[in-house]
Amino acid sequence: MHEYALEKARVRRSFDAAAGHYEQHARLQKMVRDEMLDRLEWIKVDPSVVVDLGCGTGAATRALRKRYPRAGVLGLDISTGMLAMARAGQPWLRKPHLVCADMERLPLGDASVDLLFSSLTLQWSNEPERVFAEARRVLKPGGVFVFSTLGPDSLHELRNAWREADPAHTHVNLFYDMHDVGDALLRAGLRDPVMDVERLTLGYPDVEAVMRSLKGIGARNGLAGRSRGLTGKGRLERVRATYEQLRNEENQLPVSYEVIHGQAWGGEPGRYRADAFGEVRIPLSSLKR
């Protein structure tokens, strides 16, 4: 829906502004990143080229370089502010390869990447199918795309509170369902997708802390349907009143996340591709005796 379309320039500016204090607020991002890095133990690849797609401040990029010391590791992000922090965090003798680029238009050659790693980045794309198509293009045959993104149950407490306080505007992103993500992977021509969902809940002392945390990682409202004026105190009070009803036994306000983990493989270009149900249809006229 148009009102939930992300304005890319505003998203970029938000991440630029948050770069200097991102790691102080990135509780969820660190948890998911560590989980993804642990899961690489089960993927049998010996990559020569690794790309950290949406590398942010470079934490995963550094970990990937340590895990695959013989590989060339490239960090890619849309935010120059984030890339500046990623560069500052690296040893001066081995500066990383960092590129400012859009994940929907990767400046990488066809069949050039063995491992494409992306932690909590896909939700910042209006067209994840374009990202998947680019992943399919740049992966070598047998290369693997490992990613995480947010599912539709994420931030539902905050979304509902804003809906009560300001139903005329959009305040919280909509996220894609796991099954829709899987279908999009197949349509893009990626092979053997495997996905699962992890549900996490973080606690905060009050609504202001919830909002500070989101702004602190650059997750400001970049939706086309947002209000263009200042948010009045009355609306904020209604948000607070609605959210307060959810205070739990630990005297915390919950923030829920539905984290989708996925992987899919590149392969040789085929004449026929699987449809959304994983079926490949070959016309009888193409079969020979």
Side-chain angles (χ1 to χ4, degrees), residues 52 55-58 61-62 65 73-77 80 82-90 95-101:
D52 183 8
C55 66
T57 56
T61 312
R62 294 188 289 274
R65 290 178 72 187
V73 179
L74 172 70
L76 186 149
D77 203 280
T80 55
M82 289 289 185
L83 291 171
M85 294 301 297
R87 186 171 298 279
Q90 296 284 0
K95 288 298 183 186
H97 301 291
L98 299 172
V99 174
C100 185

Side-chain angles (χ1 to χ4, degrees), residues 113-132:
V113 178
D114 300 289
L115 170 61
L116 187 60
F117 180 97
S118 179
S119 180
L120 293 180
T121 300
L122 289 170
Q123 68 270 13
W124 295 107
S125 170
N126 284 318
E127 299 179 88
E129 285 202 33
R130 291 185 64 174
V131 182
F132 296 155

Side-chain angles (χ1 to χ4, degrees), residues 208-225:
E208 287 75 15
V210 173
M211 294 182 180
R212 278 197 305 272
S213 174
L214 293 171
K215 289 179 180 179
I217 61 167
R220 294 173 179 267
N221 189 350
L223 299 169

Side-chain angles (χ1 to χ4, degrees), residues 208-263:
E208 287 75 15
V210 173
M211 294 182 180
R212 278 197 305 272
S213 174
L214 293 171
K215 289 179 180 179
I217 61 167
R220 294 173 179 267
N221 189 350
L223 299 169
R226 70 184 185 279
S227 172
R228 305 295 163 148
L230 295 175
T231 302
K233 291 184 178 179
R235 288 177 182 170
L236 288 174
E237 284 297 331
R238 289 195 292 274
V239 170
R240 186 180 293 107
T242 301
Y243 216 137
E244 278 291 335
Q245 298 175 36
L246 304 176
R247 192 170 286 278
N248 58 28
E249 295 177 356
E250 289 76 34
N251 198 32
Q252 297 276 299
L253 295 184
V255 178
S256 298
Y257 290 97
E258 178 184 354
V259 181
I260 299 171
H261 290 273
Q263 69 180 56

